[in-house]
Amino acid sequence: MKDDIIQNQMFQEIKNKEIFKQAHQYTFDYLDNIFDRNVYPTDEALANLSKFDEEFPQESTRASSVLYMLNQYGSPATTATLGGRYHGFVIGSALPVGLAAKNLGTIWDQAPSMNVLSPIGSKLETIVEKWLIELFHLPNKSSAGFVSGTSTASLCGLAAARYRILQRNNWDINNKGLTNAPKIRIVTGKQAHSTILKAIGILGLGVDNIEWVDVDNQGRIIADLMPDLDENTILILQAGNVNSGAFDDFETICEKANKANSWVHIDGAFGLWANAVEELKYLTKGISKATSWAVDGHKTLNTPYDCGIILCSD
Ligand SMILES: Cc1ncc(COP(=O)(O)O)c(C=O)c1O
């Protein structure tokens, strides 16, 4: 009985839309303010974050109070990435259509893990997969997985590499695990992004086993210093060094890797998009010769949500 009352109240709250109007007003106030505000929160805004320190509530809080609190003390404590004045890391300002579409998508309340759970989610994913393969000029047989960021995308790409290399060695990782598994070689440049090391650690491949290749003063792998490769090697390259923006020489290095039948993974968090721009495309020459590519939407494309993509031709 009590559950029914709560559920009815909840649906009533959705139907009368009052809290959405309140949130709507707050978002408009935020937009009115964000272009002139300090990019980084003021000391007062940071101090006010202590308002969120409270004991775990024993009673539920009114929805309008939750929204009030978020707006009153949360909105001033955001970093103003919106508005084009934030130049930290590789994050820019979201585009209007991205923000608006995200708002609509939030109200849709989808958990689109299967077509039957969300035909529109599934449809959009299928289309975006096709577009990305076309945009990046990747092999037609490639497929895409949508994850939370490039870190996770690389984790997935390297997991696929691990699976395939061990399978070629008659070792089914899914059934047998890693204990006593054949050795996999990992080759990467000395300025591989820290998230690559994290993925190698999580996958049990061992950061200490990495064969490091020297890089130039922009962080590019020096192609002449590449070790001999073989079919048990995962080679990890980079499209866009986070400090310098430099790209590895994919054409030369991938050719060598393909001859040896190595798996090539490219960490292209923000840089892979260069392949879609006529004037920048020379930077990514040869990327289609790799086997997996990690990229995301929240850096170069400025999606206002975490959006990683793993593309894989195997
Ligand atoms: C080259 C590179 N790889 C990976 C990442 C991690 O991306 P994410 O935060 O989407 O996991 C970054 C982040 O800046 C990056 O620049």
Side-chain angles (χ1 to χ4, degrees):
M1 187 62 187
K2 196 173 165 215
D3 283 355
D4 281 351
I5 294 170
I6 292 174
Q7 206 176 51
N8 281 338
Q9 270 174 1
M10 207 176 81
F11 292 145
Q12 210 41 53
E13 221 167 5
I14 291 178
K15 282 182 192 162
N16 77 23
K17 304 191 190 71
E18 283 309 315
I19 52 169
F20 305 120
K21 288 179 194 154
Q22 186 187 353
H24 185 88
Q25 188 55 52
Y26 291 154
T27 54
F28 276 24
D29 291 347
Y30 189 82
L31 294 176
D32 284 341
N33 200 356
I34 200 66
F35 290 90
D36 305 313
R37 206 202 78 178
N38 266 19
V39 168
Y40 197 69
T42 60
D43 288 346
E44 186 190 355
L46 293 176
N48 277 337
L49 285 174
S50 62
K51 305 269 187 199
F52 290 96
D53 295 324
E54 53 178 279
E55 294 300 319
F56 181 76
Q58 298 304 312
E59 301 289 332
S60 46
T61 312
R62 281 179 39 224
S64 59
S65 306
V66 173
L67 290 172
Y68 173 83
M69 180 90 175
L70 284 173
N71 184 57
Q72 190 69 14
Y73 304 113
S75 295
T78 57
T79 306
T81 46
L82 201 62
R85 295 177 297 133
Y86 180 78
H87 303 289
F89 300 94
V90 271
I91 299 162
S93 177
L95 302 179
V97 66
L99 282 176
K102 188 196 177 196
N103 271 338
L104 178 59
T106 300
I107 295 288
W108 283 355
D109 182 32
Q110 301 292 277
S113 61
M114 287 181 276
N115 184 54
V116 70
L117 270 170
S118 176
I120 179 62
S122 184
K123 183 73 180 169
L124 294 177
E125 184 174 301
T126 308
I127 292 170
V128 172
E129 175 181 63
K130 183 170 165 288
W131 281 1
L132 289 175
I133 291 164
E134 208 175 298
L135 194 70
F136 292 133
H137 311 286
L138 302 183
N140 280 338
K141 63 176 181 173
S142 304
S143 54
F146 295 88
V147 293
S148 58
T150 295
S151 313
T152 321
S154 279
L155 181 71
C156 295
L158 297 176
R162 183 185 67 169
Y163 174 87
R164 179 60 78 222
I165 290 176
L166 291 179
Q167 192 210 35
R168 281 193 214 129
N169 284 274
N170 299 316
W171 189 273
D172 182 337
I173 172 89
N174 292 341
N175 287 321
K176 293 187 174 183
L178 271 180
T179 308
N180 300 324
K183 185 168 163 45
I184 295 178
R185 288 177 60 204
I186 310 281
V187 176
T188 194
K190 282 190 174 160
Q191 282 199 20
H193 195 265
S194 58
T195 53
I196 292 293
L197 308 194
K198 180 78 89 177
I200 289 169
I202 293 171
L203 291 168
L205 297 171
V207 172
D208 284 353
N209 296 324
I210 296 175
E211 298 173 44
W212 297 103
V213 190
D214 274 334
V215 292
D216 65 15
N217 63 6
Q218 298 297 302
R220 273 182 220 102
I221 284 180
I222 302 172
D224 288 344
L225 296 183
M226 285 284 301
D228 284 340
L229 302 172
D230 60 31
E231 71 279 5
N232 291 328
T233 304
I234 305 174
L235 168 65
I236 303 158
L237 304 178
Q238 199 172 57
N241 177 295
V242 73
N243 297 309
S244 69
F247 290 65
D248 284 329
D249 175 356
F250 306 114
E251 184 76 354
T252 310
I253 302 174
C254 288
E255 203 129 75
K256 188 176 160 124
N258 287 357
K259 278 191 190 131
N261 201 22
S262 305
W263 182 293
V264 184
H265 174 79
I266 298 182
D267 172 2
F270 61 93
L272 204 70
W273 300 104
N275 203 38
V277 181
E278 208 47 53
E279 309 88 76
L280 297 177
K281 195 147 106 173
Y282 70 96
L283 292 166
T284 48
K285 192 156 179 263
I287 60 155
S288 61
K289 294 177 181 156
T291 331
S292 56
W293 305 264
V295 63
D296 66 66
H298 49 250
K299 299 190 181 81
T300 306
L301 297 195
N302 302 318
T303 55
Y305 49 87
D306 289 343
C307 165
I309 305 147
I310 176 65
L311 294 135
C312 191
S313 69
D314 179 346

